[in-house]
Amino acid sequence: PVTELFFKGLFEDLDEPTLAALFMAIVYEPRRTEHHAPLDRARVEGIQNDARRILSRFRESEQESGVLPPIPWPDFRFSPTVFAWCEGTPFAELQHLSDLSEGDVVRNLRRAIQMLRQAEWALHEHPALASRLRGAIRLLNRDVVDAARELEN
């Protein structure tokens, strides 16, 4: 889905926290019993609708070609945690935003970082976007989420 969303121009006007939330929505695989803080509709509704519109065409093509299951829809339920983390909220304070374990929060943030790094590498010929992707990585990759720092300690 990242390629499709890029070529349809979805990333062009997104700031770093919103890029982080979008990439999290792409990689996030919720469990049925998870609970999260309510979405900030004003912050994600436009990007969520745009992503669904773009990917609905892609999913239709998959279904017509017999590809099952189709790619999952981006899931923005984790975005309140992502935005809080990007804004510098201490890790311990994230726990009130969902019922995920600390390990699951770290794992999900690291998955988003991994996808952002892959996109940044692939989009190096688009310097402004690559710079914003690096900025999104910096916002996410701090404190206990920073695996390299954890190895040093």
Side-chain angles (χ1 to χ4, degrees):
V2 172
T3 304
E4 189 72 15
L5 296 173
F6 167 73
F7 281 112
K8 297 295 183 184
L10 191 62
F11 302 158
E12 290 306 312
D13 297 322
L14 300 182
D15 62 14
E16 294 166 354
T18 307
L19 280 168
L22 175 60
F23 274 73
M24 176 60 76
I26 292 168
V27 301
Y28 183 57
E29 298 173 357
R31 297 182 186 121
R32 290 179 190 252
T33 59
E34 290 178 9
H35 298 287
H36 298 273
L39 289 176
D40 179 350
R41 293 271 177 219
R43 206 162 186 184
V44 298
E45 191 167 32
I47 190 73
Q48 187 175 22
N49 291 340
D50 289 345
R52 285 185 75 87
R53 180 182 41 77
I54 291 166
L55 294 178
S56 67
R57 292 185 207 122
F58 191 78
R59 287 172 56 106
E60 287 171 15
S61 295
E62 285 183 322
Q63 290 171 333
E64 289 169 4
S65 301
V67 176
L68 294 174
I71 59 166
W73 295 113
D75 190 312
F76 285 85
R77 283 181 277 184
F78 200 77
S79 66
T81 301
V82 173
F83 285 125
W85 186 244
C86 287
E87 292 163 0
T89 300
F91 188 80
E93 292 179 24
L94 297 180
Q95 290 307 116
H96 75 279
L97 296 173
S98 78
D99 63 358
L100 294 176
S101 71
E102 291 179 357
D104 284 342
V105 171
V106 169
R107 181 181 57 81
N108 280 296
L109 291 169
R110 286 179 179 171
R111 289 186 67 215
I113 291 167
Q114 181 181 21
M115 181 66 75
L116 282 159
R117 283 184 176 143
Q118 291 171 8
E120 188 268 332
W121 180 85
L123 298 171
H124 66 275
E125 293 182 16
H126 301 271
L129 177 55
S131 175
R132 288 197 324 276
L133 291 167
R134 282 191 299 277
I137 292 166
R138 278 191 300 276
L139 290 174
L140 293 177
N141 198 30
R142 65 180 179 85
D143 197 25
V144 297
V145 176
D146 185 348
R149 199 194 97 204
E150 287 292 304
L151 292 174
E152 292 171 359
N153 293 331

